[in-house]
């Protein structure tokens, strides 16, 4: 409740005839109107991001499980083998996964594509709100090339940042598990833990940050 939304600030800057004091009733009215508009978008963003993280988790887990299946199939009485008892090829595959948990470029593209439409919707809604508050006769044109470029930059930034955070968190956790000689099941549990935390964060921190850019 501390800062005036950027869309409203930008719109107000274009109107020299209307000054609104920070903390005034009018400022609070604008802020409340902004929250009423954007809160539903936070929920949408949280669901979108959680779905992407869930798909990403399953992709990484499938790689871990494939390595585990190889180890089980070569044992007449399969037990959960620690990393120290994997074959050289199995251990190499696990170590490769710990260096590169997922295809970063592919997932950045997926997150960018999925977020672009919602980013456009939010930008248009907040832009129209700002335009109506300052009385712009022309309204807000979300198809303006400068606006389109800004949306694309925002979607790219979001995709790069969230995937980089996840990629690094997985790397550190998987490398620690291998170093400690953990079993495949425990390695898979590490993936579940890291991705579970990312999914939980998507509903609050990530969604709130992105909607209120």
């Amino acid at each position: 409740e501390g800062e005036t939304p950027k869309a409203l600030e930008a719109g107000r800057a274009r109107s020299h005839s209307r000054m609104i004091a920070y903390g005034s009733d009018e400022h609070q009215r604008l802020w409340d109107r902004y929250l009423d508009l954007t809160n539903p978008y936070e929920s949408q963003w949280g669901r979108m991001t959680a779905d992407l993280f869930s798909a990403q988790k399953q992709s990484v887990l499938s790689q871990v499980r494939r390595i585990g299946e190889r180890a089980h199939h070569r044992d007449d009485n399969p037990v959960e083998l620690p990393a120290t008892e994997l074959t050289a090829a199995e251990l190499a595959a696990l170590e490769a996964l710990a260096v590169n948990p997922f295809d970063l470029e592919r997932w950045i593209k997926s997150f960018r594509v999925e977020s672009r439409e919602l980013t456009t919707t939010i930008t248009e809604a907040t832009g129209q709100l700002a335009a109506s508050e300052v009385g712009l006769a022309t309204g807000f044109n979300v198809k303006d090339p400068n606006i389109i470029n800004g949306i694309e930059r925002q979607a790219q930034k979001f995709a790069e940042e969230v995937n980089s955070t996840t990629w690094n968190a997985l790397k550190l956790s998987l490398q620690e598990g291998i170093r400690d000689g953990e079993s495949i099941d425990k390695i898979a549990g590490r993936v579940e833990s890291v991705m579970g935390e990312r999914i939980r964060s998507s509903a609050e921190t990530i969604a709130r940050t992105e909607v209120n850019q």
Side-chain angles (χ1 to χ4, degrees), residues 32-191:
D32 290 342
R33 189 177 177 192
Y34 176 81
L35 292 180
D36 287 343
L37 176 70
T38 59
N39 281 342
Y41 292 129
E42 286 189 19
S43 298
Q44 289 182 51
W45 198 286
R47 288 193 299 271
M48 174 196 71
T49 310
D51 287 346
L52 286 164
F53 280 144
S54 294
Q56 195 171 61
K57 178 184 76 172
Q58 293 306 318
S59 176
V60 178
L61 281 175
S62 68
Q63 297 181 72
V64 175
R65 288 169 180 153
R66 277 198 298 271
I67 298 169
E69 286 169 3
R70 292 182 220 163
H72 282 271
H73 289 162
R74 64 178 169 79
D75 198 317
D76 293 334
N77 183 26
V79 293
E80 185 54 37
L81 297 174
T84 52
E85 294 183 25
L86 298 177
T87 66
E90 291 159 356
L91 184 57
L94 196 58
E95 290 173 338
L97 182 63
V99 170
N100 186 26
F102 55 79
D103 185 337
L104 194 55
E105 185 175 341
R106 171 203 160 195
W107 282 102
I108 286 174
K109 179 179 179 181
S110 294
F111 275 65
R112 184 184 70 243
V113 170
E114 288 295 320
S115 66
R116 184 188 292 129
E117 182 176 352
L118 186 52
T119 301
T120 301
T121 299
I122 294 168
T123 301
E124 182 170 27
T126 55
Q128 293 293 4
L129 172 62
S132 69
E133 285 294 337
V134 299
L136 289 181
T138 57
F140 178 82
N141 181 15
V142 76
K143 294 183 179 180
D144 181 286
N146 292 321
I147 301 299
I148 292 173
N149 289 338
I151 289 170
E152 191 62 30
R153 286 194 301 272
Q154 184 176 335
Q156 180 69 22
K157 180 173 177 287
F158 159 71
E160 289 178 352
E161 289 181 351
V162 296
N163 278 288
S164 177
T165 298
T166 307
W167 194 74
N168 285 315
L170 283 170
K171 276 182 64 176
L172 289 173
S173 186
L174 294 176
Q175 288 170 0
E176 183 180 75
I178 293 170
R179 185 172 62 249
D180 292 346
E182 292 180 353
S183 66
I184 293 293
D185 275 357
K186 287 186 178 179
I187 295 291
R190 285 177 172 275
V191 176

